[in-house]
Amino acid sequence: RRVFDLEGVRLSRTQAAGLGVAMLMPGSMTLSMTCVGAALLIKTAQERRSVVAAGEGDGDGARWKATQTRCLEHAHELLRRKTCPIEITYIPGKDTPQQLKVCLYSLRDPICALPVGSVRGLDGGTGGESVARLAHGACCALRPTGSADTFRMRVYEPAPLLDIVLHDGIEVKRGDRLALSFPPGGGQIR
């Protein structure tokens, strides 16, 4: 009996049937095989790059050494995330929003399109928090994924369609403690 096995994730019968139907639609077979081939090519290139970076040459020993190096780097990243969160407190005032949304973005993302860690396949799959919603007087700890230590933080007022930007980008570092408040009489959040 054969079972679809994709990186340890098994497809249900319904998912496998849906995938089979999608492959039979005109043009979708070519598109899906191109995507699968591209994914395999990227995975192979990353594996070879890590083996070369380990400096052990070819063979099983080099792959083992590269895997150990990747695991150690990821362990250091997880430890840094746990020990150095970015702590944020919302201090309410008169006529302030009931809730704020705080997002962390990469400094290399000029338009703030995707919060850090929102694409799960790029972070090693071990979670992390880079978006939080704060009610009056609430606190949160953000633990963004990745090896960067500095991020761009934007503050929003949640809205039904598009969130309203209240503060457009302050540079924060791991371990920072911030308090968000509005000046008396209104104005921009500080």
Side-chain angles (χ1 to χ4, degrees), residues 31-45:
L31 180 63
S32 61
M33 287 299 132
T34 302
C35 292
V36 168
L40 291 174
L41 181 66
I42 290 171
K43 184 176 180 180
T44 304

Side-chain angles (χ1 to χ4, degrees), residues 1 4 11 26-27 49 65 93 114 119 124 128 150 157 174 190:
R1 183 171 123 138
F4 284 105
L11 297 177
R49 185 181 68 213
K65 181 73 172 171
L114 295 171
V119 181
T150 308
E157 179 180 354
R174 290 186 192 272
R190 54 183 170 134

Side-chain angles (χ1 to χ4, degrees), residues 1-4 9-21:
R1 183 171 123 138
R2 299 181 76 183
V3 177
F4 284 105
V9 178
R10 294 184 183 227
L11 297 177
S12 68
R13 289 182 185 206
T14 307
Q15 291 170 331
L19 184 62
V21 168

Side-chain angles (χ1 to χ4, degrees), residues 3-172:
V3 177
F4 284 105
D5 188 13
L6 307 169
E7 297 289 326
V9 178
R10 294 184 183 227
L11 297 177
S12 68
R13 289 182 185 206
T14 307
Q15 291 170 331
L19 184 62
V21 168
M23 287 184 173
L24 292 177
M25 293 177 68
S28 63
M29 179 66 143
T30 305
L31 180 63
S32 61
M33 287 299 132
T34 302
C35 292
V36 168
L40 291 174
L41 181 66
I42 290 171
K43 184 176 180 180
T44 304
Q46 287 176 341
E47 185 177 302
R48 287 187 186 222
R49 185 181 68 213
S50 64
V51 168
V52 170
E56 297 291 325
D58 290 333
D60 290 334
R63 287 188 177 153
W64 180 250
K65 181 73 172 171
T67 301
Q68 285 179 323
T69 304
R70 275 195 322 267
C71 289
L72 185 61
E73 288 170 357
H74 192 65
H76 284 296
E77 178 189 327
L78 290 173
L79 182 63
R80 189 172 57 249
R81 260 195 259 164
K82 184 174 182 173
T83 58
C84 300
I86 299 169
E87 297 176 6
I88 302 170
T89 305
Y90 178 26
I91 301 172
K94 289 187 175 184
D95 299 327
T96 58
Q98 291 295 319
Q99 192 176 47
L100 293 180
K101 180 179 174 184
V102 180
C103 297
L104 296 177
Y105 298 93
S106 170
L107 291 177
R108 295 177 291 171
D109 185 1
I111 61 171
C112 297
L114 295 171
V116 174
S118 60
V119 181
R120 290 285 177 197
L122 301 178
D123 65 355
T126 54
E129 302 88 26
S130 62
V131 177
R133 289 181 182 257
L134 297 168
H136 280 200
C139 301
C140 72
L142 298 177
R143 295 174 178 88
T145 61
S147 60
D149 287 328
T150 308
F151 305 93
R152 180 178 180 186
M153 182 180 83
R154 290 180 94 179
V155 181
Y156 301 95
E157 179 180 354
L161 188 58
L162 293 174
D163 295 336
I164 302 164
V165 178
L166 298 176
H167 195 282
D168 186 22
I170 180 172
E171 193 172 303
V172 295

